[in-house]
Amino acid sequence: MSRRSWLIALLGLTLLRLLAAALLPPAPDEAYYWVWGRALAPGYYDHPPMVALWTALGSLLAGDTPLGLRLLGPLGVAVASLLLARAGDLLFPGRQVGPWGAAVLNATLLFGAGSVLMTPDTPLLVFWCAAIWALAKLRASGEGRWWLAFGLLAGCALLSKYTAVLLGAGVLIWLLVEPGMRSWFGRWQLWAGGALALLVFTPVILWNASHGWASFAKQGGRAGSAGTGSSWRYLAELIGGQAGLATPIVFLLCIAGTAAACSAWYRRRDANAGLLAALTLPAAALFVWQATGSRVQGNWPAILYPTACLAAAACLGPRWLRWRRPAVALGLGLTVLVLVQAAFAPLPLPRRSDPTLARLAGWAELAEEAERARRGAGAAFLAAEEYGLASELALHLSGVPVIAVGDRWDLFDLPAPVPGEQGLLLRSLRRDGLPLWPGAEAVGEVVRSRKGIPAEGYRLYRVVVPAGPGPDMVVLPQRR
């Protein structure tokens, strides 16, 4: 693979992602992060603030549009691909490890199609790849100043998602196990890099300290939590899900590559292969352990693939490497199919067979139908208990007050609704029990759909903002 052809392919893929970002309707979580971007804070109930910063900056540049919400995702992933390719070349010079490793990574659905959507994983993967590049510069130059760059980038990864702590843990394991790296413990640059990472992350710590450690408790509670299913079921879901999201050939290449990197580290004392193994294997073991007791969400192991793809490109023999081109071709083909189905739905698949229908379809039309019902009822506002539904309504409706209901909203600096005002509450038919809103009166139903295929039904309730104690309520920002 020539450098020029690789760069042209990356440019084309980036343009495809930007086009898809403009065409696909925002998912509920993306709309939720848009609300974060309009109410910037050092922390949130669900995650650290980086995704809010990226969403806010993209919206500032391209408006409150699908492309605006996602603009920095495809651009950031393109930069990350360049940095990962450069890292591979620095660690294994003269072998085209970098371009092939980055190409295989871009062929995964997690990175290829997933980077179109704005989630905390997008900036996390960008800063994760950039941190690997800083470590590669450190290895190639031997200059301690690269620990400062690594600390800054690792801190930004922590500002993206808490699983970035596994980046530091992997590097620590590498430093302890690799004899040639232990001398860094006696040099100030390593400690300064760690201090810089902590300094960057400090606003999140202070926010949690002043908000009852809400975010740390929510995310930390997932580790080791017990589920209701069997261990074998969760392990099968983890393996099958990763084989699908990474695409089958890439998944096998990554497993074989990581095993080969471990062998090269142990047998040949290859410190660079050891770095890739240390950043992949311990985190993978943690996710497998988690799956022995509860479900591991499909996007969580995304952090494994940058180093696993480099390991596949660097440490596998010719019999394995001949599968690189089929892996990239299959992955990119599946990425295009997923994006086309999400944007245009050429296949009339039901909800259970099409996650793009369940997550992306029909939000603008639902908002318009809810707005017509609001005007017909003479109501002053729309409201929702589900945070994603409330955020979608606020994003799609300009000039219409939208009230969000639920415990998480008391952590936001957003205005409270006016007591006594009447409105309409939308509530998914999938939710059990009675509405959180006291005195809610059912008045009808609406359906979210795409091309006549239903995605989800909602019941409408007539509600009044209580004058006394009630559930937490805030008025969401309006679309500009």
Side-chain angles (χ1 to χ4, degrees):
M1 180 189 299
S2 70
R3 178 73 59 175
R4 180 179 179 183
S5 62
W6 183 84
L7 290 173
I8 292 174
L10 179 60
L11 175 61
L13 186 57
T14 301
L15 292 175
L16 173 64
R17 287 170 175 154
L18 288 170
L19 177 62
L23 292 176
L24 298 182
D29 282 348
E30 291 183 289
Y32 181 46
Y33 302 140
W34 167 79
V35 174
W36 289 16
R38 297 293 302 277
L40 289 173
Y44 300 91
Y45 175 65
D46 309 81
H47 292 290
M50 187 62 75
V51 68
L53 295 172
W54 280 38
T55 301
L57 181 56
S59 298
L60 184 65
L61 295 173
D64 293 331
T65 64
L67 179 60
L69 270 63
R70 300 162 171 156
L71 180 62
L72 268 62
L75 297 179
V77 164
V79 173
S81 299
L82 293 171
L83 293 176
L84 189 70
R86 181 57 180 156
D89 286 343
L90 289 169
L91 293 172
F92 307 95
R95 296 167 50 187
Q96 290 194 323
V97 168
W100 272 115
V104 172
L105 178 62
N106 275 274
T108 66
L109 291 177
L110 282 166
F111 204 79
S115 61
V116 171
L117 306 180
M118 180 51 68
T119 70
D121 292 291
T122 306
L124 170 65
L125 286 170
V126 171
F127 290 117
W128 191 284
C129 291
I132 295 170
W133 165 78
L135 292 173
K137 294 288 288 186
L138 171 75
R139 284 291 298 163
S141 67
E143 298 176 2
R145 61 191 175 96
W146 288 105
W147 281 120
L148 303 180
F150 173 78
L152 176 62
L153 294 168
C156 289
L158 276 171
L159 287 180
S160 303
K161 203 170 181 180
Y162 296 133
T163 46
V165 71
L166 297 174
L167 176 63
V171 170
L172 180 59
I173 291 172
W174 179 57
L175 290 171
L176 291 171
V177 176
E178 178 56 43
M181 298 302 296
R182 292 173 193 159
S183 62
W184 284 110
F185 285 111
R187 299 176 63 177
W188 68 269
Q189 293 96 331
L190 171 65
W191 301 100
L196 184 57
L198 180 61
L199 179 64
V200 171
F201 188 60
T202 295
V204 179
I205 300 175
L206 296 177
W207 181 90
N208 271 275
S210 62
H211 291 81
W213 307 104
S215 186
F216 288 169
K218 180 181 187 299
Q219 296 298 340
R222 294 184 175 187
S225 59
T228 58
S230 70
S231 298
W232 292 112
R233 173 187 172 185
Y234 292 136
L235 284 169
E237 287 180 356
L238 173 62
I239 296 171
Q242 292 310 298
L245 291 171
T247 70
I249 304 178
V250 171
F251 185 59
L252 291 176
L253 286 175
C254 287
I255 293 176
T258 302
C262 292
S263 177
W265 192 15
Y266 177 74
R267 295 179 182 276
R268 302 198 308 268
R269 302 311 308 169
D270 186 335
N272 291 343
L275 173 62
L276 301 183
L279 290 177
T280 308
L281 196 58
L286 178 64
F287 292 126
V288 170
W289 169 76
Q290 176 75 25
T292 62
S294 62
R295 179 172 289 110
V296 174
Q297 299 298 324
N299 60 301
W300 293 358
I303 55 176
L304 305 177
Y305 290 100
T307 44
C309 289
L310 284 182
C315 302
L316 291 177
R319 294 177 60 184
W320 280 98
L321 292 181
R322 65 184 180 180
W323 289 99
R324 293 180 303 187
R325 293 184 187 276
V328 172
L330 175 62
L332 294 181
L334 290 175
T335 294
V336 171
L337 288 177
V338 169
L339 294 179
V340 169
Q341 178 66 16
F344 305 109
L347 301 176
L349 300 175
R351 176 191 170 101
R352 65 179 180 275
S353 303
D354 187 357
T356 69
L357 172 65
R359 300 297 294 167
L360 300 177
W363 291 109
E365 294 78 8
L366 174 68
E368 292 174 0
E369 189 170 358
E371 170 58 6
R372 287 194 294 270
R374 182 193 71 83
R375 291 197 303 264
F381 61 84
L382 292 170
E385 296 175 356
E386 300 99 320
Y387 68 87
L389 173 57
S391 301
E392 288 278 5
L393 293 173
L395 178 61
H396 285 96
L397 296 174
S398 179
V400 179
V402 175
I403 295 177
V405 186
D407 293 341
R408 72 179 61 222
W409 296 106
D410 66 353
L411 301 175
F412 285 75
D413 186 18
L414 291 171
V418 178
E421 282 194 337
Q422 296 185 0
L424 283 183
L425 171 74
L426 277 73
R427 193 171 190 266
S428 173
L429 296 178
R430 296 174 180 271
R431 289 178 70 89
D432 298 326
L434 297 174
L436 298 175
W437 203 300
E441 176 187 355
V443 294
E445 293 183 3
V446 292
V447 176
R448 177 169 61 89
S449 63
R450 181 177 65 192
K451 293 186 176 181
I453 301 176
E456 193 162 6
Y458 303 86
R459 183 165 287 118
L460 296 174
Y461 294 86
R462 184 179 292 111
V463 294
V464 178
V465 178
D472 293 312
M473 301 180 183
V474 296
V475 180
L476 297 185
Q478 294 188 3
R479 180 175 178 175
R480 288 169 289 203

